[in-house]
Amino acid sequence: MIILSGPSGSGKTTISHCLLSKFPELKFSVSCTTRSIRNNEIHGKDYYFLSVASFISRIKKYQFAEWEEVYPKLFYGTLKREIYKNWKLKQHVLFDIDVKGGLNLKKQYPNNSLSIFIMVNSINILRKRLITRCYENSDDYKKNINIRLNKAKEENNYAKLFDFVLLNIDLSQTKKKAIQIVSNFIYGK
Ligand code: 5GP
């Protein structure tokens, strides 16, 4: 398991795409979410977009390895099925998940996981990134920028619990470092 966590807007999705293109033996873990779909997203590839009722029914059936109410009334979760499906195919699984979810998986699979926290050194940079992103998306998303920024401040406190912390100042440098760390994990030093 390769767990990428960090605040929304820290660059972890870009880094996860970079890792997926670099390592053919890596498979992205598609999470479930109840948030609305963005313009550039595809159901089943970026997320499984579920209604709240369907999400709750899966919680009741113990189908999630972990789930969180990442933002008020917005649920995100990793299906157990998604992990085992990829392990059966002898693939390493890459997770782009929030800090609590990442730490939860690390706790459940201490011997099978590598956890990386992507950090940004300024809340202003995060705000700019989130605003840029919101131009491409719905009004619904714009309302959530402040919620995401407040959560980011809280999430940074958990960075020290991850195996590696990458400060994402220069994206190409961060990608290189992430590739090196993942390469060491997959192929051994
Ligand atoms: P976004 O709405 O920007 O796609 O994601 C919001 C946050 O939810 C991000 O920090 C993302 O990594 C996190 N997230 C995505 N999938 C999961 C999941 O399955 N579980 C948890 N706990 N968080 C997730």
Side-chain angles (χ1 to χ4, degrees):
M1 287 185 161
I2 294 161
I3 302 161
L4 282 187
S5 288
S8 183
S10 61
K12 62 185 189 299
T13 303
T14 311
I15 292 161
S16 89
H17 289 159
C18 161
L19 292 172
L20 289 163
S21 67
K22 187 82 189 166
F23 298 97
E25 53 277 83
L26 258 188
K27 259 298 208 222
F28 182 62
S29 167
V30 180
S31 296
C32 297
T33 182
T34 61
R35 82 149 158 75
S36 48
I37 187 164
R38 294 180 193 148
N39 296 341
N40 54 345
E41 289 178 323
I42 299 171
H43 175 84
K45 180 171 174 275
D46 298 289
Y47 281 106
Y48 302 111
F49 295 92
L50 303 182
S51 65
V52 174
S54 162
F55 197 101
I56 289 172
S57 136
R58 283 160 201 267
I59 296 174
K60 287 187 180 151
K61 291 181 195 153
Y62 302 100
Q63 290 181 3
F64 289 110
E66 64 76 36
W67 65 270
E68 296 288 335
E69 187 174 0
V70 174
Y71 304 110
K73 300 200 179 105
L74 290 182
F75 297 92
Y76 294 76
T78 306
L79 291 170
K80 291 177 190 164
R81 193 183 66 194
E82 188 72 16
I83 302 175
Y84 295 122
K85 178 183 84 186
N86 289 314
W87 276 353
K88 263 193 193 151
L89 297 170
K90 304 257 182 265
Q91 297 275 343
H92 298 278
V93 192
L94 179 75
F95 300 83
D96 170 344
I97 68 177
D98 92 319
V99 168
K100 281 190 189 150
L103 292 173
N104 186 345
L105 285 183
K106 184 172 147 68
K107 202 167 149 196
Q108 291 183 57
Y109 300 93
N111 302 321
N112 304 64
S113 61
L114 167 76
S115 58
I116 305 174
F117 187 94
I118 311 292
M119 194 180 229
V120 172
N121 60 347
S122 138
I123 286 293
N124 282 336
I125 294 176
L126 268 191
R127 183 180 288 111
K128 272 192 200 147
R129 288 195 191 156
L130 291 171
I131 288 171
T132 309
R133 194 195 273 175
C134 91
Y135 283 126
E136 298 147 20
N137 293 289
S138 64
D139 285 347
D140 203 27
Y141 183 75
K142 289 177 201 168
K143 278 188 251 153
N144 289 320
I145 288 189
N146 282 335
I147 295 176
R148 284 172 186 253
L149 284 173
N150 286 335
K151 186 175 163 76
K153 289 179 200 158
E154 183 198 320
E155 284 182 319
N156 280 340
N157 297 329
Y158 293 92
K160 54 185 175 296
L161 301 176
F162 284 74
D163 298 326
F164 291 90
V165 178
L166 290 181
L167 188 58
N168 185 17
I169 298 173
D170 172 346
L171 185 60
S172 69
Q173 284 301 318
T174 312
K175 283 180 183 171
K176 273 191 200 153
K177 286 184 193 156
I179 290 169
Q180 190 59 55
I181 292 168
V182 169
S183 171
N184 289 346
F185 179 72
I186 294 181
Y187 307 124
K189 284 185 197 173

Coordinates of all heavy atoms in Angstrom, one line a residue, residues 53-117:
A53 N -27.4 7.5 0.8 CA -28.1 6.3 1.3 C -27.3 5.1 0.9 O -27.1 4.2 1.7 CB -29.5 6.2 0.6
S54 N -26.8 5.1 -0.3 CA -26.0 4.0 -0.8 C -24.7 3.8 0.0 O -24.2 2.8 0.4 CB -25.7 4.1 -2.3 OG -24.7 3.3 -2.7
F55 N -24.1 5.0 0.3 CA -22.8 5.0 1.1 C -23.1 4.4 2.5 O -22.4 3.5 3.0 CB -22.3 6.4 1.3 CG -20.9 6.5 1.7 CD1 -19.8 6.7 0.7 CD2 -20.5 6.3 3.0 CE1 -18.5 6.8 1.1 CE2 -19.2 6.4 3.4 CZ -18.2 6.7 2.5
I56 N -24.2 4.9 3.1 CA -24.5 4.4 4.5 C -24.8 2.9 4.5 O -24.4 2.2 5.4 CB -25.7 5.2 5.1 CG1 -25.1 6.6 5.4 CG2 -26.3 4.6 6.4 CD1 -26.1 7.7 5.8
S57 N -25.5 2.5 3.5 CA -25.8 1.0 3.4 C -24.5 0.2 3.3 O -24.4 -0.9 3.9 CB -26.8 0.8 2.2 OG -26.4 -0.3 1.5
R58 N -23.5 0.7 2.6 CA -22.2 0.0 2.5 C -21.5 0.0 3.9 O -20.8 -0.9 4.2 CB -21.3 0.6 1.5 CG -21.8 0.2 0.1 CD -21.2 1.1 -1.0 NE -22.0 1.0 -2.2 CZ -21.7 0.2 -3.2 NH1 -20.6 -0.6 -3.1 NH2 -22.5 0.1 -4.3
I59 N -21.7 1.1 4.6 CA -21.1 1.2 6.0 C -21.7 0.1 6.8 O -21.0 -0.7 7.5 CB -21.3 2.5 6.7 CG1 -20.6 3.7 6.0 CG2 -20.8 2.5 8.1 CD1 -21.0 5.1 6.5
K60 N -23.0 0.0 6.7 CA -23.7 -1.0 7.6 C -23.3 -2.5 7.2 O -23.4 -3.4 8.0 CB -25.2 -0.8 7.4 CG -25.7 0.4 8.1 CD -27.2 0.5 8.2 CE -27.6 1.8 8.9 NZ -28.9 2.3 8.4
K61 N -23.0 -2.7 5.9 CA -22.6 -4.0 5.5 C -21.1 -4.2 5.7 O -20.5 -5.2 5.1 CB -22.9 -4.2 4.0 CG -24.4 -4.2 3.8 CD -24.7 -4.5 2.3 CE -26.1 -4.2 1.9 NZ -26.3 -3.7 0.5
Y62 N -20.4 -3.3 6.4 CA -18.9 -3.5 6.6 C -18.1 -3.6 5.4 O -17.1 -4.4 5.3 CB -18.7 -4.7 7.6 CG -19.4 -4.6 8.9 CD1 -20.6 -5.3 9.1 CD2 -18.9 -3.7 9.9 CE1 -21.3 -5.1 10.3 CE2 -19.6 -3.6 11.1 CZ -20.8 -4.3 11.3 OH -21.5 -4.2 12.5
Q63 N -18.5 -2.9 4.3 CA -17.8 -3.0 3.1 C -16.5 -2.1 3.0 O -15.7 -2.3 2.1 CB -18.7 -2.7 1.9 CG -19.8 -3.7 1.7 CD -20.7 -3.4 0.5 OE1 -20.5 -2.5 -0.2 NE2 -21.7 -4.3 0.3
F64 N -16.4 -1.2 3.9 CA -15.3 -0.2 3.9 C -14.1 -0.7 4.7 O -14.3 -1.1 5.9 CB -15.7 1.2 4.3 CG -16.6 1.9 3.3 CD1 -18.0 2.1 3.6 CD2 -16.1 2.3 2.1 CE1 -18.8 2.7 2.7 CE2 -17.0 3.0 1.2 CZ -18.3 3.2 1.5
A65 N -12.9 -0.5 4.2 CA -11.7 -0.7 5.0 C -11.5 0.5 5.9 O -11.0 0.4 7.0 CB -10.5 -0.8 4.1
E66 N -11.9 1.7 5.4 CA -12.0 2.9 6.2 C -12.9 3.8 5.5 O -13.1 3.8 4.3 CB -10.6 3.5 6.4 CG -9.9 4.0 5.1 CD -10.5 5.3 4.5 OE1 -10.8 6.2 5.3 OE2 -10.6 5.5 3.3
W67 N -13.5 4.7 6.3 CA -14.3 5.8 5.7 C -14.3 6.9 6.7 O -14.1 6.8 7.9 CB -15.8 5.3 5.4 CG -16.6 5.0 6.6 CD1 -16.7 3.7 7.2 CD2 -17.4 5.9 7.4 NE1 -17.5 3.8 8.3 CE2 -17.9 5.1 8.5 CE3 -17.7 7.2 7.4 CZ2 -18.7 5.6 9.5 CZ3 -18.5 7.8 8.4 CH2 -19.0 7.0 9.4
E68 N -14.5 8.1 6.1 CA -14.5 9.4 6.9 C -15.6 10.3 6.4 O -15.8 10.3 5.2 CB -13.2 10.1 6.8 CG -12.0 9.4 7.4 CD -11.9 9.3 8.9 OE1 -12.6 10.1 9.6 OE2 -11.3 8.3 9.4
E69 N -16.1 11.1 7.3 CA -16.9 12.3 6.9 C -15.9 13.4 6.7 O -15.6 14.1 7.7 CB -18.0 12.6 7.9 CG -18.9 13.7 7.4 CD -20.1 14.0 8.4 OE1 -20.2 13.3 9.4 OE2 -20.9 14.9 8.1
V70 N -15.2 13.4 5.6 CA -14.0 14.3 5.4 C -14.4 15.8 5.5 O -13.7 16.5 6.1 CB -13.4 14.0 4.0 CG1 -12.2 15.0 3.7 CG2 -12.8 12.6 4.0
Y71 N -15.5 16.1 5.0 CA -16.1 17.5 5.2 C -17.5 17.3 5.7 O -18.1 16.2 5.4 CB -16.1 18.3 3.9 CG -14.7 18.4 3.3 CD1 -14.4 17.7 2.1 CD2 -13.7 19.1 3.9 CE1 -13.1 17.8 1.6 CE2 -12.4 19.2 3.4 CZ -12.2 18.5 2.2 OH -10.9 18.6 1.7
P72 N -18.1 18.3 6.3 CA -19.5 18.1 6.8 C -20.4 17.6 5.8 O -20.5 18.1 4.7 CB -19.9 19.5 7.3 CG -18.6 20.2 7.6 CD -17.6 19.6 6.6
K73 N -21.0 16.4 6.0 CA -22.0 15.8 5.2 C -21.4 15.2 3.9 O -22.1 14.8 3.0 CB -23.2 16.7 4.8 CG -24.0 17.1 6.1 CD -25.4 17.6 5.7 CE -26.1 18.0 7.0 NZ -26.2 19.4 7.1
L74 N -20.1 15.2 3.8 CA -19.5 14.6 2.6 C -18.6 13.4 3.0 O -17.7 13.6 3.7 CB -18.6 15.6 1.8 CG -19.3 16.7 1.1 CD1 -18.3 17.6 0.4 CD2 -20.3 16.2 0.1
F75 N -19.1 12.2 2.5 CA -18.4 11.0 3.0 C -17.5 10.5 1.9 O -17.7 10.6 0.7 CB -19.5 9.9 3.2 CG -20.4 10.3 4.4 CD1 -21.6 10.9 4.1 CD2 -20.1 9.9 5.7 CE1 -22.5 11.2 5.2 CE2 -20.9 10.3 6.7 CZ -22.1 10.9 6.5
Y76 N -16.3 9.9 2.4 CA -15.4 9.3 1.5 C -14.9 8.0 2.1 O -14.7 7.9 3.3 CB -14.1 10.2 1.3 CG -14.3 11.5 0.7 CD1 -14.9 12.6 1.3 CD2 -13.8 11.7 -0.6 CE1 -15.1 13.8 0.7 CE2 -14.0 13.0 -1.2 CZ -14.6 14.0 -0.6 OH -14.7 15.2 -1.2
G77 N -14.7 7.0 1.3 CA -14.3 5.7 1.9 C -13.6 4.8 0.9 O -13.9 4.9 -0.3
T78 N -12.8 3.9 1.4 CA -12.1 2.9 0.6 C -12.8 1.5 0.8 O -12.9 1.0 1.9 CB -10.6 2.8 1.1 OG1 -10.0 4.0 1.1 CG2 -9.8 1.8 0.3
L79 N -13.2 1.0 -0.3 CA -13.9 -0.4 -0.2 C -12.8 -1.4 0.0 O -11.8 -1.4 -0.7 CB -14.6 -0.7 -1.5 CG -15.9 0.2 -1.8 CD1 -16.4 -0.1 -3.2 CD2 -17.0 -0.2 -0.7
K80 N -13.1 -2.4 0.9 CA -12.2 -3.5 1.1 C -11.9 -4.2 -0.2 O -10.8 -4.6 -0.6 CB -12.8 -4.5 2.1 CG -12.8 -4.0 3.5 CD -13.5 -5.1 4.4 CE -13.8 -4.5 5.8 NZ -14.8 -5.3 6.5
R81 N -13.0 -4.4 -1.0 CA -13.0 -5.0 -2.3 C -12.0 -4.4 -3.2 O -11.3 -5.1 -4.0 CB -14.4 -4.9 -2.9 CG -14.8 -5.7 -4.0 CD -16.2 -5.4 -4.5 NE -16.2 -4.0 -5.1 CZ -17.3 -3.4 -5.4 NH1 -18.5 -3.9 -5.1 NH2 -17.3 -2.2 -5.9
E82 N -11.9 -3.1 -3.2 CA -10.9 -2.4 -4.1 C -9.5 -2.8 -3.7 O -8.7 -3.0 -4.6 CB -11.2 -0.9 -3.8 CG -10.5 0.0 -4.8 CD -11.0 0.0 -6.2 OE1 -12.1 -0.5 -6.4 OE2 -10.3 0.5 -7.1
I83 N -9.2 -3.0 -2.5 CA -7.8 -3.3 -2.1 C -7.5 -4.8 -2.5 O -6.5 -5.0 -3.2 CB -7.7 -3.2 -0.5 CG1 -8.0 -1.8 -0.1 CG2 -6.3 -3.6 -0.1 CD1 -7.9 -1.6 1.4
Y84 N -8.4 -5.7 -2.1 CA -8.2 -7.1 -2.4 C -8.2 -7.4 -3.9 O -7.4 -8.3 -4.3 CB -9.1 -8.0 -1.6 CG -8.9 -7.8 -0.1 CD1 -9.9 -7.4 0.7 CD2 -7.6 -8.0 0.4 CE1 -9.7 -7.2 2.1 CE2 -7.4 -7.8 1.8 CZ -8.4 -7.4 2.6 OH -8.2 -7.2 3.9
K85 N -9.0 -6.7 -4.6 CA -9.1 -6.9 -6.1 C -7.7 -6.7 -6.7 O -7.1 -7.4 -7.5 CB -10.1 -6.0 -6.7 CG -10.2 -6.0 -8.2 CD -11.2 -4.9 -8.6 CE -10.6 -3.6 -8.8 NZ -11.5 -2.5 -9.1
N86 N -7.0 -5.6 -6.2 CA -5.7 -5.2 -6.8 C -4.6 -6.1 -6.3 O -3.7 -6.5 -7.0 CB -5.4 -3.8 -6.5 CG -6.3 -2.9 -7.4 OD1 -6.5 -3.1 -8.6 ND2 -6.9 -1.9 -6.8
W87 N -4.7 -6.5 -5.0 CA -3.7 -7.4 -4.4 C -3.7 -8.7 -5.1 O -2.7 -9.3 -5.4 CB -3.9 -7.5 -2.9 CG -3.2 -6.4 -2.1 CD1 -2.4 -5.4 -2.7 CD2 -3.3 -6.2 -0.8 NE1 -2.0 -4.6 -1.7 CE2 -2.5 -5.0 -0.5 CE3 -3.9 -6.8 0.3 CZ2 -2.4 -4.5 0.8 CZ3 -3.8 -6.3 1.6 CH2 -3.0 -5.1 1.8
K88 N -4.9 -9.2 -5.5 CA -5.0 -10.5 -6.2 C -4.3 -10.4 -7.5 O -3.8 -11.4 -8.0 CB -6.5 -10.8 -6.4 CG -7.1 -11.7 -5.4 CD -8.4 -12.3 -5.8 CE -9.1 -12.9 -4.7 NZ -10.6 -12.9 -4.8
L89 N -4.4 -9.2 -8.1 CA -3.7 -9.1 -9.4 C -2.2 -8.8 -9.2 O -1.5 -8.4 -10.2 CB -4.3 -7.9 -10.2 CG -5.8 -8.1 -10.6 CD1 -6.4 -6.8 -11.1 CD2 -6.0 -9.2 -11.6
K90 N -1.7 -8.9 -8.0 CA -0.3 -8.7 -7.6 C 0.1 -7.3 -7.9 O 1.3 -7.0 -8.3 CB 0.6 -9.7 -8.4 CG 0.3 -11.1 -8.2 CD 1.3 -11.8 -7.2 CE 1.0 -13.2 -7.0 NZ 0.2 -13.6 -5.9
Q91 N -0.8 -6.3 -7.7 CA -0.5 -4.9 -7.9 C -0.3 -4.3 -6.6 O -0.9 -4.6 -5.6 CB -1.7 -4.2 -8.6 CG -2.0 -4.7 -10.0 CD -1.2 -4.1 -11.1 OE1 -0.6 -3.0 -10.9 NE2 -1.1 -4.7 -12.2
H92 N 0.6 -3.3 -6.5 CA 0.7 -2.4 -5.4 C -0.5 -1.4 -5.5 O -0.9 -1.1 -6.6 CB 2.0 -1.6 -5.4 CG 3.2 -2.5 -5.2 ND1 3.6 -3.0 -4.0 CD2 4.0 -3.0 -6.2 CE1 4.7 -3.8 -4.3 NE2 4.9 -3.8 -5.6
V93 N -1.0 -1.0 -4.4 CA -2.2 -0.1 -4.5 C -1.9 1.3 -3.9 O -1.2 1.4 -2.9 CB -3.4 -0.7 -3.6 CG1 -4.7 0.0 -4.0 CG2 -3.6 -2.2 -3.9
L94 N -2.2 2.3 -4.7 CA -2.0 3.7 -4.4 C -3.2 4.4 -3.9 O -4.3 4.3 -4.6 CB -1.4 4.4 -5.6 CG -1.1 5.9 -5.4 CD1 0.2 6.1 -4.6 CD2 -1.0 6.6 -6.7
F95 N -3.2 5.0 -2.7 CA -4.3 5.6 -2.1 C -4.1 7.1 -2.1 O -3.0 7.6 -1.6 CB -4.5 5.2 -0.7 CG -4.8 3.7 -0.6 CD1 -3.7 2.8 -0.6 CD2 -6.0 3.2 -0.5 CE1 -3.9 1.4 -0.5 CE2 -6.3 1.8 -0.4 CZ -5.2 0.9 -0.4
D96 N -5.1 7.9 -2.5 CA -5.0 9.4 -2.4 C -6.2 9.7 -1.4 O -7.3 9.8 -1.8 CB -5.3 10.0 -3.8 CG -5.5 11.5 -3.7 OD1 -5.8 12.0 -2.6 OD2 -5.4 12.1 -4.8
I97 N -5.8 9.7 -0.1 CA -6.9 9.8 0.9 C -6.6 10.8 2.0 O -5.4 11.3 2.1 CB -7.3 8.5 1.5 CG1 -6.2 7.9 2.4 CG2 -7.7 7.5 0.4 CD1 -6.7 6.6 3.0
D98 N -7.5 11.2 2.8 CA -7.3 12.2 3.8 C -6.5 11.7 4.9 O -6.2 10.5 5.0 CB -8.6 12.9 4.3 CG -9.2 12.2 5.5 OD1 -9.2 10.9 5.5 OD2 -9.7 12.9 6.4
V99 N -6.0 12.6 5.8 CA -5.0 12.2 6.8 C -5.5 11.1 7.7 O -4.8 10.2 8.0 CB -4.6 13.5 7.5 CG1 -3.8 13.2 8.8 CG2 -3.8 14.4 6.6
K100 N -6.7 11.3 8.2 CA -7.3 10.3 9.2 C -7.4 9.0 8.5 O -7.0 7.9 9.1 CB -8.6 10.7 9.7 CG -8.5 11.8 10.8 CD -9.8 12.0 11.5 CE -9.7 13.2 12.4 NZ -11.0 13.9 12.5
G101 N -7.9 8.9 7.2 CA -8.0 7.7 6.5 C -6.7 7.1 6.3 O -6.5 5.8 6.4
G102 N -5.7 7.9 5.9 CA -4.3 7.4 5.7 C -3.8 6.7 6.9 O -3.2 5.6 6.9
L103 N -3.9 7.4 8.0 CA -3.4 6.8 9.3 C -4.1 5.6 9.7 O -3.5 4.6 10.3 CB -3.4 7.9 10.4 CG -2.4 9.1 10.2 CD1 -2.7 10.2 11.2 CD2 -1.0 8.6 10.2
N104 N -5.4 5.6 9.4 CA -6.2 4.4 9.7 C -5.7 3.2 8.9 O -5.5 2.1 9.5 CB -7.7 4.7 9.4 CG -8.7 3.7 9.8 OD1 -8.3 2.5 10.1 ND2 -9.9 4.0 9.8
L105 N -5.5 3.4 7.6 CA -5.0 2.2 6.8 C -3.6 1.8 7.3 O -3.3 0.6 7.4 CB -4.9 2.6 5.4 CG -6.2 2.7 4.6 CD1 -5.9 3.0 3.1 CD2 -7.0 1.4 4.7
K106 N -2.7 2.8 7.6 CA -1.4 2.5 8.1 C -1.4 1.6 9.4 O -0.6 0.7 9.5 CB -0.7 3.8 8.4 CG 0.8 3.7 8.8 CD 1.4 5.1 8.8 CE 2.4 5.3 9.9 NZ 3.7 4.6 9.7
K107 N -2.4 1.9 10.2 CA -2.5 1.2 11.5 C -3.0 -0.2 11.2 O -2.6 -1.2 11.8 CB -3.6 1.9 12.3 CG -3.5 1.6 13.8 CD -4.4 2.6 14.6 CE -4.9 2.0 15.8 NZ -6.0 2.8 16.3
Q108 N -3.9 -0.4 10.2 CA -4.4 -1.7 9.9 C -3.4 -2.6 9.2 O -3.4 -3.8 9.3 CB -5.7 -1.6 9.0 CG -6.9 -1.0 9.7 CD -8.1 -1.0 8.7 OE1 -8.4 -2.1 8.2 NE2 -8.6 0.1 8.4
Y109 N -2.5 -2.0 8.4 CA -1.6 -2.7 7.6 C -0.2 -2.2 7.8 O 0.5 -1.7 6.9 CB -1.9 -2.6 6.1 CG -3.3 -3.1 5.8 CD1 -4.4 -2.2 5.7 CD2 -3.5 -4.4 5.4 CE1 -5.7 -2.7 5.4 CE2 -4.8 -4.9 5.1 CZ -5.9 -4.0 5.1 OH -7.1 -4.4 4.8
P110 N 0.3 -2.3 9.1 CA 1.6 -1.7 9.4 C 2.8 -2.2 8.6 O 3.8 -1.5 8.3 CB 1.8 -1.9 10.9 CG 0.9 -3.0 11.2 CD -0.2 -3.0 10.3
N111 N 2.7 -3.5 8.2 CA 3.8 -4.1 7.5 C 3.7 -4.1 6.0 O 4.6 -4.5 5.3 CB 3.9 -5.6 8.0 CG 4.1 -5.7 9.4 OD1 4.8 -4.9 10.0 ND2 3.5 -6.7 10.1
N112 N 2.6 -3.6 5.5 CA 2.4 -3.6 4.1 C 2.3 -2.1 3.5 O 1.8 -2.0 2.4 CB 1.1 -4.3 3.7 CG 1.1 -5.7 4.2 OD1 1.1 -5.9 5.4 ND2 1.1 -6.7 3.3
S113 N 2.6 -1.1 4.3 CA 2.2 0.2 3.9 C 3.4 1.2 3.9 O 4.3 1.1 4.7 CB 1.1 0.8 4.7 OG 1.5 0.9 6.0
L114 N 3.4 2.1 3.0 CA 4.3 3.2 2.9 C 3.4 4.4 3.0 O 2.5 4.6 2.1 CB 5.1 3.2 1.6 CG 5.9 4.4 1.3 CD1 7.1 4.5 2.1 CD2 6.3 4.4 -0.2
S115 N 3.7 5.3 3.9 CA 2.8 6.5 4.0 C 3.6 7.8 3.7 O 4.7 8.0 4.3 CB 2.1 6.6 5.3 OG 3.0 6.6 6.4
I116 N 3.0 8.6 2.9 CA 3.7 9.9 2.5 C 2.8 11.0 2.7 O 1.6 11.0 2.2 CB 4.2 9.8 1.0 CG1 5.0 8.6 0.7 CG2 4.9 11.1 0.6 CD1 5.4 8.4 -0.8
F117 N 3.2 12.1 3.4 CA 2.4 13.3 3.6 C 2.9 14.4 2.7 O 4.1 14.7 2.7 CB 2.5 13.7 5.1 CG 1.6 14.8 5.4 CD1 0.4 14.5 6.0 CD2 1.9 16.1 5.2 CE1 -0.5 15.5 6.4 CE2 1.1 17.2 5.6 CZ -0.2 16.9 6.2

